[in-house]
Amino acid sequence: MSNVIKVLLVDDHDIVRIGVRSFLGSFDDIEVVGEAANGQEAVDLTAELAPDIILMDMLMPVMDGIEAIRQIRDRKLGGRIIALTSFATDDKLFPAIKAGAMGYLLKDSTPDELLDAIRRVHRGEPSLAPDIARKVLSELSQPGEETKPTPDPLTPRELDTLKLVAKGKSNKVIAEELFVSEATVRTHMTSILSKLHLANRVEATLYALREGIASL
């Protein structure tokens, strides 16, 4: 069943994991393959279970979500990460972007929003709750931000690609809309990230939002 999305749940509250597992268990295309109560368990289980999606709480004992994301990325364990936060003002949110999470979801999101985020991130598309996106944009606009990208001019086709990335489009869809190959889209993305000094598609999306290239 290669089309089934394997999910690892990471949260230090049993009731949260039980609720999410129960909800996701009703969908044929999703399988919860494991649960972790802290970041260290998340890293270990990611290495053992090779999940497609990791739902990562930010505030946990032993090891928090930020450090867990960093270790999963540094060890190249795979899996796409959706960061979970209780508040849009969570100060761990922006570091989660730098660490490499592809999705950001509030814990009071609806079940349908959770389901949509899992499927979108599994397809390689960033998923940002509007409140979280606004918070991150506010952080990025503060003076003295050392990680603020220094842009070089983008070509017209790179700009077209960035606009579609900011809309959450996958490489396949972007290729179809621009009448190019997926390999060409990947080349454009590599150039965009290099020119803007960005780490991933999520940062590219946030850059496009901040600069008015796209809107929420």
Side-chain angles (χ1 to χ4, degrees), residues 23-51:
F23 170 67
L24 296 180
S26 61
F27 297 95
D28 293 337
D29 64 331
I30 296 177
E31 177 188 4
V32 176
V33 295
E35 299 181 22
N38 60 64
Q40 184 59 62
E41 289 181 6
V43 174
D44 295 341
L45 285 177
T46 298
E48 176 184 344
L49 302 173

Side-chain angles (χ1 to χ4, degrees), residues 44-87:
D44 295 341
L45 285 177
T46 298
E48 176 184 344
L49 302 173
D52 300 308
I53 296 292
I54 305 160
L55 291 178
M56 183 78 73
D57 187 18
M58 292 291 94
L59 301 176
M60 295 178 291
V62 183
M63 180 189 294
D64 67 13
I66 299 299
E67 181 59 27
I69 294 172
R70 290 195 186 108
Q71 291 201 17
I72 289 170
R73 287 290 166 259
D74 289 347
R75 293 173 57 180
K76 302 185 187 306
L77 298 179
R80 291 170 173 160
I81 299 170
I82 299 174
L84 297 176
T85 180
S86 297
F87 306 100

Side-chain angles (χ1 to χ4, degrees), residues 170-182:
S170 66
N171 283 355
K172 181 176 185 296
V173 173
I174 293 172
E176 291 172 351
E177 293 199 18
L178 297 182
F179 301 103
V180 297
S181 68
E182 288 189 57

